[in-house]
Amino acid sequence: MSGAGGALVSVLTPLPVDRAYDYLAPPGMALPAGAFVEVEVGPNRVIGCVWGPAEGDAAPEKLKPVLRALDLPPAPAPFRDFLARASDYTLTPLGAMLRLATRAPDLDREPPMRSYWRAGPPPERLTPARKRVLEALAEAGVAMSAAELSAFAGVSGSVVKGLAEAGALVEERRPGARPFAPLRLEGAPALSPAQGAAAVALAEAAQARAFRPFLLNGVTGSGKTEVYLEAVAACLEAGRQALILLPEIALTAAFIARVEARFGARPAEWHSGVTGAERRRVWVGAARGEARLVVGARSALFLPFADPGLIVVDEEHDGSYKQEDGALYNARDMAVLRASLSCATVVLASATPSLETWANAAAGKYARLDLPERFGAAEPPAMRLIDIREEGPPPGRWIAPPLARAVAQRIVAGEQALLFLNRRGYAPQTLCRACGHVFDCPHCDARMVEHRYRARLLCHQCGHEAPIPKACPSCGREDRLAAIGPGVERLAEEAAALFPQARIAVLSSDIAASALRAEIERIARGGADLVIGTQIVAKGHDFPLLTLVGVIDADLGLKGGDLRAAERTFQLVSQVAGRAGRREKPGLALVQTAAPEHAVMRALVSGDAEGFLEALAAERLAAGAPPFGRMAGVILSGRDEAQVFAAANALARADAPLRAAGAELFGPAPAPIARIRGRSRVRLLVKAPKGAPLQAALREWRASVRIPSAVRLAIDIDPQSFL
């Protein structure tokens, strides 16, 4: 179909719309499916993607023209299929999925001109440093920038400049970002027999150009990283691209160093700490197939890779892989989907697998590879419980005497200890002992958390903050304000009093990412005797001197009735305990609890992770709960609480499409956190059998009720949080 201007094409724009719209291509311009273009939407110019043939539902003379085609590689068909399938599964508008896939700045602009250098005639004087530069160019096989060349050859910039002045380097000027350094594929490290067998299985799969999902289940310190890096090498050798997802940006620096040591060059990075120019470079490099290996956060899954052959989801159980706002998706599940559509291998690696992944492996959907022992001479840490009902700390203190003695022993021996408490700040709440006033967030149904280091009260829901007052705003008393409960700052204060000679480091997400990485590196070098941290310390760090872990409040995560409370507590305590004893000296984990008889505590002490997961699976199966049933969380929010409840009640009365699909609807009820940022929140929960057509039923249900524009509706398929 064509008009006076040219062919009609259907263009998807990165806006919250569920369909592509027709545009008129300029005469003679070929726009294949997947081509990136610039189009007008209202008064704005946006990047769009040609989605296919025109829909033909508008007269050609009324269509807007495509303004121009962008000099970007077309989005491959498997990638477009991935966005469509992810949109369908998560009930996210298709345009919003494209937005996730184009979140790099200046994609619509030409890159600046850059200077690159290639080898010219040999210089008259060839020093060892000059020789290294020419050898580096020969090894790379591509022209390089001066900075890259000096770094790759290990010489100063003056050496490169001297070669250029001597005519031994020839300058090339061309648009585009600096090229990606070549990766060295040989040089595999020595592996244990179990590691070797797992590496061979993954490497064979990575070269097969077929969808192969794996659970790589290895105890902490077993060398899972070395195993899947061999699969990366095999994937790259086959000419395809590899992606490694990490749960925390704080892990990136140490992990990048390990990858660089294995492959001789830095991989491409994709996370919030990367500059805008570098994000554009990585996006375009992934699309052109030039970025062979990318390490990134969950959003890296939406890069338009030309030919992805391997996706690794490290610490696959981690809750950070769930996107909790905007497009609600779980990167672990989306990684499996993307691998299946790209005929790629996906590796889900963890010492404490999620029940979903464990069940898929048990059912034969995923191949399972086990690393049951730590690498080398290291042994898993011994795990012991401290019953704080019998041996608890004195009032107003949180470190029990047995744990305090163990910490003191480690400090005297020149070893490191770690105290874990999953609470940021100084104290979770502040109240006036004279009148009972509690400091609540004015915008949320949440307490203001005292952060004494910053002298601020902070809401962890919306970020609202205020100075710590000197007097109670209710009764005016200045001497009756009290901090209730401990956070890591208060724990550090107690530790400083107990161990005055110790060098104490506090790790939490309150620290800026760059400072946090530097602090982690300092601790790994022995720069602290006692580490106090939140869950960020549980995520893959390797502290060679650390031999003792103390868990201050192991019961904290079991409170609140969350479906996954037991599973998450087991994972978190196991992971943080796994930081201890990762070298020759044995490790010990002491877990303070008031419920030593709880199934989680018994499993931690016995080390029987399989038995724990089997029992948990039996409970979920009997209840029809995930992964043996399906759930969707529905949150309505708005400024007017009555209006939000009215909309929720209207949805509850219109549940016929859900019942027809075999689903049950629970609610409406106030959400556990009933107000965030001044918006009242009402929750409904949908529960359905495993094979129920849940998404189709939810679409019909949502469309059957007119929701006021002032009320926001969010549907979360497979919710991880019930707040």
Side-chain angles (χ1 to χ4, degrees), residues 407-408 411 492-504 529-530:
V407 171
I411 293 173
E493 183 178 270
E494 179 181 346
L498 283 173
F499 316 111
Q501 304 305 317
R503 298 168 299 165
I504 298 175
D529 305 308
L530 178 58

Side-chain angles (χ1 to χ4, degrees), residues 144-483:
M144 303 172 74
S145 70
E148 272 185 325
L149 194 48
S150 49
F152 198 62
V155 301
S156 67
S158 61
V159 176
V160 176
K161 182 179 179 182
L163 280 169
E165 291 173 347
L169 294 179
V170 178
E171 184 182 20
E172 293 180 358
R173 295 277 294 174
R174 61 173 186 256
R178 58 188 174 88
F180 293 89
L183 300 171
R184 182 188 66 230
L185 303 185
E186 68 279 358
L191 301 177
S192 70
Q195 284 180 307
V200 168
L202 293 182
E204 290 177 350
Q207 292 188 319
R209 196 167 280 274
F211 172 52
R212 294 286 303 279
F214 287 87
L215 163 60
L216 180 59
N217 181 30
V219 299
T220 54
S222 60
K224 295 182 291 295
T225 303
E226 286 72 19
V227 169
Y228 66 64
L229 287 183
E230 293 315 295
V232 169
C235 173
L236 300 180
E237 190 175 23
R240 306 186 75 187
Q241 295 165 285
L243 168 65
I244 301 174
L245 297 180
L246 300 178
E248 273 295 344
I249 188 174
L251 298 179
T252 306
F255 185 85
I256 293 294
R258 293 178 73 176
V259 175
E260 187 172 6
R262 170 60 183 86
F263 294 106
R266 290 177 69 87
E269 295 181 54
W270 182 272
H271 50 75
S272 59
V274 173
T275 65
E278 182 65 6
R279 287 172 74 88
R280 186 193 191 281
R281 170 178 175 260
V282 173
W283 193 98
V284 174
R288 289 180 175 159
E290 297 166 354
R292 306 283 311 287
L293 171 58
V294 177
V295 174
R298 62 178 178 243
S299 59
L301 193 62
F302 291 88
L303 286 170
F305 290 99
D307 186 17
L310 174 69
I311 302 174
V312 177
V313 185
D314 200 6
E315 308 290 2
E316 64 84 23
H317 65 278
D318 198 285
S320 301
Y321 286 121
K322 182 62 186 277
Q323 173 81 20
E324 296 284 7
D325 53 30
L328 307 178
Y329 67 90
N330 190 314
R332 176 200 66 210
D333 301 335
M334 293 298 105
V336 175
L337 173 62
R338 181 147 198 202
S340 71
L341 297 172
S342 301
C343 296
T345 294
V346 61
V347 179
L348 309 179
S350 178
T352 53
S354 62
L355 190 61
E356 284 82 359
T357 298
W358 179 88
N360 278 327
K365 295 180 181 179
Y366 300 168
R368 175 167 168 168
L369 301 172
D370 288 302
L371 301 175
E373 298 176 349
R374 283 190 161 182
F375 181 78
E379 295 288 338
M383 187 90 68
R384 298 176 191 163
L385 303 181
I386 298 174
D387 186 345
I388 57 174
R389 298 171 302 183
E390 303 292 335
E391 299 180 281
R397 296 289 182 265
W398 288 272
I399 303 173
L403 178 55
R405 290 193 294 270
V407 171
Q409 290 168 2
R410 294 320 191 272
I411 293 173
V412 169
E415 301 168 13
Q416 289 176 326
L418 184 155
L419 298 180
F420 169 73
L421 176 64
N422 203 20
R423 275 206 190 111
R424 294 157 51 201
Y426 184 83
Q429 62 176 302
T430 302
L431 64 76
C432 175
R433 294 197 184 278
C435 70
H437 175 79
V438 178
F439 289 82
D440 292 326
C441 176
H443 311 297
C444 301
D445 183 20
R447 305 293 193 204
M448 295 287 281
V449 178
E450 180 177 336
H451 286 248
R452 191 163 292 188
Y453 290 177
R454 295 170 54 192
R456 310 289 286 178
L457 296 175
L458 181 66
C459 174
H460 288 177
Q461 295 299 325
C462 71
H464 173 77
E465 58 180 271
I468 298 175
K470 294 182 179 179
C472 173
S474 180
C475 69
R477 294 283 297 270
E478 293 190 4
D479 57 346
R480 301 294 286 166
L481 297 183

Side-chain angles (χ1 to χ4, degrees), residues 634-655 665 668 679-680 682 684 698-715:
V634 182
I635 289 284
L636 294 96
S637 64
R639 298 287 176 183
D640 186 333
E641 182 180 6
Q643 188 182 40
V644 174
F645 259 106
N649 283 319
L651 279 170
R653 290 191 297 268
D655 68 340
L665 178 65
R679 299 179 67 88
S680 296
V682 175
L684 301 100
L698 287 168
R699 279 192 204 90
E700 184 181 349
W701 176 57
R702 182 176 61 183
S704 68
V705 176
R706 183 182 176 278
I707 304 296
S709 59
V711 175
R712 187 181 303 154
L713 171 66
I715 298 180

Side-chain angles (χ1 to χ4, degrees), residues 509-536:
S509 57
D510 291 321
I511 305 173
S514 58
L516 184 60
R517 288 194 294 271
E519 187 70 348
I520 289 169
E521 292 171 7
R522 185 180 74 86
I523 294 167
R525 294 193 302 267
D529 305 308
L530 178 58
V531 182
I532 296 173
T534 62
Q535 64 179 350
I536 205 162

